């Protein structure tokens, strides 16, 4: 059993899973109650597997299942578990340092937490199919918003034999991901995985991407053994079946831990305005020079963003993607924020009135 006196010494079993002195200090009140510290390595059907000093414990989550879906326990959480009992219960979990959240597909647009206490968000993108830069930007926005450091890994690099073509694809992604490291990896040939292993050796990493992106193969390469099932993807679109069906936290042999996730069909934003701004940091830098502080970058005079598009400094695709993600995020936030919803409707009415006035003016009518 974990005691308050043992909190000053990092338990070996938990140190491998990210336990440190700060977590120990936060856990001290629960240790005084005789509860065990542990990290959630898997959650399914109201129960979870928790790695503790005593090994993996199967525990019930009934005590930590609130109505708010963002507060349910998830893979990566640090939990306080009963030392005895059958079943054992998770009594609480420690405040999260970071949380990866996406919007659900429900009409209520609730948030769904995918992983907690993550340091690196590895976005796996397959080079077997045409790059979807918009999807990469979407993943990056969620990653930045979570508080983790994004990293884009271009998998199946062995399928791009021409070095010039590969360099062009990397530059394209680097332009899409300012401030983010971009790696090319071939798990099949073992290229690039050593660099990735060194990056993720400190802290917790979550592996993200759509089905067929090569996440399970990449996870096996990092783990040094075939732990995750791998299935072939369709040549026509690069898609595959979900070989990973739950989120699993696994200790890496070179240090650090990895959370593998199922392929994500939908990557909806959830209150990620800051993350969107980080992804499109160059646009926000241009915007600082606009004549009007509330410039919408659509037709305003003195718009530095539109000027950058006009002279080729800023690709028009980037601006369109920026607008799209901001609109989507605003809609999601407005569904739970009545004041913002009213402001949006007011702006729509003003723009509609302006549109009617412009149309009437063109036809020679009176406003």
């Amino acid at each position: 059993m974990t005691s308050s006196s043992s909190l000053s010494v990092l338990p070996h079993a938990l140190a491998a899973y990210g336990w440190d002195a700060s977590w120990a200090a936060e856990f001290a009140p629960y240790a005084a109650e005789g509860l065990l510290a542990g990290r959630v390595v898997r959650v399914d059907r109201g129960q979870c597997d928790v790695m503790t000093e005593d090994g993996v414990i199967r525990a019930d989550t009934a005590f930590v299942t609130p109505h708010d879906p963002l507060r349910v326990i998830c893979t990566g959480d640090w939990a306080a578990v009963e030392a005895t009992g059958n079943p054992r219960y998770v009594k609480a979990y420690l405040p999260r340092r970071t949380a990866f959240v996406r919007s659900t597909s429900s009409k209520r647009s609730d948030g769904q937490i995918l992983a907690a206490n993550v340091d690196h968000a590895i976005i796996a993108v397959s080079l077997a199919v045409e790059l979807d830069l918009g999807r990469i930007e979407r993943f990056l926005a969620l990653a930045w918003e979570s508080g983790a450091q994004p990293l884009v890994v271009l998998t199946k690099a062995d399928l791009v034999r021409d070095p010039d073509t590969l360099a062009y694809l990397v530059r394209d992604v680097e332009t899409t991901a300012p401030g983010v490291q971009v790696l090319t990896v071939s798990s099949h040939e073992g290229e690039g995985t050593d660099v990735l292993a060194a990056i993720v050796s400190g802290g917790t990493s979550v592996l993200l991407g759509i089905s067929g992106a090569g996440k399970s193969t990449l996870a096996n390469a990092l783990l040094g053994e075939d732990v995750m099932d791998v299935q072939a993807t369709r040549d026509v679109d690069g898609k595959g079946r979900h070989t990973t069906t739950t989120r699993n936290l696994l200790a890496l042999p070179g240090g650090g831990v990895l959370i593998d996730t199922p392929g994500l069909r939908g990557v909806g934003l959830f209150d990620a305005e800051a993350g969107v701004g980080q992804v499109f940091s160059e646009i926000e830098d241009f915007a600082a020079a606009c004549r009007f502080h509330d410039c919408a970058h659509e037709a305003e005079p003195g718009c530095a963003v539109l000027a950058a598009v006009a002279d080729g400094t800023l690709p028009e695709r980037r601006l369109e993607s920026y607008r799209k993600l901001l609109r989507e995020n605003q809609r999601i936030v407005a569904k739970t924020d009545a004041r913002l919803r009213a402001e949006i409707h007011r702006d729509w009415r003003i723009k509609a009135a302006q549109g009617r006035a412009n149309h009437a003016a063109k036809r020679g009518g009176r406003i």
Side-chain angles (χ1 to χ4, degrees):
M1 180 183 298
T2 305
S3 65
S4 57
S5 61
S6 69
L7 289 173
S8 60
V9 179
L10 299 183
H12 175 71
L14 295 186
Y17 283 81
W19 184 258
D20 59 29
S22 295
W23 287 123
E26 288 194 56
F27 191 79
Y30 299 107
E33 297 177 15
L35 297 174
L36 284 175
R39 192 154 197 198
V40 178
V41 298
R42 176 188 171 101
V43 180
D44 62 275
R45 298 179 182 179
Q47 293 187 313
C48 63
D49 293 336
V50 185
M51 174 59 72
T52 71
E53 288 184 79
D54 297 339
V56 178
I57 292 175
R58 186 70 168 169
D60 196 294
T61 64
F63 284 102
V64 285
T65 307
H67 295 297
D68 183 352
L70 295 181
R71 297 177 60 196
V72 299
I73 199 162
C74 74
T75 304
D77 273 324
W78 283 100
V81 188
E82 290 179 324
T84 59
N86 186 20
R88 297 192 189 185
Y89 288 92
V90 175
K91 305 297 288 190
Y93 62 83
L94 300 183
R96 295 160 177 158
R97 294 178 181 174
T98 62
F100 194 96
V101 179
R102 70 165 177 173
S103 175
T104 66
S105 58
S106 69
K107 292 182 179 180
R108 294 184 303 170
S109 297
D110 292 326
Q112 178 191 20
I113 184 163
L114 300 179
N117 302 312
V118 173
D119 301 294
H120 306 283
I122 305 171
I123 302 166
V125 180
S126 172
L127 290 175
V129 293
E130 185 177 355
L131 288 176
D132 186 337
L133 298 179
R135 181 183 290 127
I136 295 174
E137 289 163 342
R138 184 177 291 271
F139 270 112
L140 286 169
L142 293 178
W144 281 121
E145 190 68 31
S146 76
Q149 171 66 47
L151 170 69
V152 178
V153 175
L154 302 178
T155 66
K156 308 180 185 181
D158 55 290
L159 299 181
V160 184
R161 294 296 181 182
D162 179 36
D164 291 336
T165 300
L166 182 59
Y168 173 80
L169 293 172
V170 171
R171 285 197 300 271
D172 228 12
V173 176
E174 287 175 337
T175 302
T176 301
V180 175
Q181 187 171 2
V182 179
L183 297 177
T184 56
V185 168
S186 170
S187 300
H188 179 69
E189 297 185 356
E191 295 181 0
T193 53
D194 55 338
V195 177
L196 179 59
I199 293 173
V200 302
S201 62
T204 299
S205 302
V206 62
L207 192 52
L208 306 161
I210 65 170
S211 296
K215 298 189 306 301
S216 295
T217 302
L218 188 59
N220 286 336
L222 291 172
L223 290 163
E225 56 182 320
D226 292 339
V227 175
M228 312 306 297
D229 291 333
V230 177
Q231 296 183 12
T233 58
R234 299 193 301 241
D235 292 334
V236 64
D237 56 10
K239 293 182 179 179
R241 287 176 289 176
H242 293 311
T243 53
T244 303
T245 57
T246 59
R247 289 175 281 279
N248 303 281
L249 188 147
L250 306 161
L252 297 173
V257 291
L258 179 71
I259 299 176
D260 191 21
T261 65
L264 300 175
R265 292 188 179 92
V267 194
L269 301 185
F270 186 80
D271 197 5
E273 183 176 355
V276 173
Q278 188 74 38
V279 176
F280 299 93
S281 56
E282 82 278 28
I283 295 180
E284 302 213 334
D285 287 342
F286 286 127
C290 288
R291 181 182 301 175
F292 304 109
H293 76 278
D294 58 347
C295 183
H297 320 308
E298 294 179 351
E300 296 85 350
C303 176
V305 173
L306 294 179
V309 172
D311 66 19
T313 307
L314 175 66
E316 187 172 2
R317 187 206 68 79
R318 285 281 285 174
L319 179 56
E320 288 301 318
S321 185
Y322 175 66
R323 289 169 172 163
K324 178 181 178 181
L325 292 184
L326 280 182
R327 287 195 301 267
E328 177 185 326
N329 189 71
Q330 191 177 49
R331 287 195 301 269
I332 292 296
V333 174
K335 288 183 178 180
T336 56
D337 188 327
R339 185 179 64 179
L340 178 59
R341 187 163 58 246
E343 291 177 355
I344 291 173
H345 286 311
R346 186 191 63 210
D347 289 342
W348 286 346
R349 288 195 298 271
I350 292 173
K351 288 182 179 180
Q354 290 173 340
R356 288 193 298 269
N358 292 337
H359 181 67
K362 289 179 180 179
R363 296 181 60 185
R366 293 184 178 181
I367 300 175

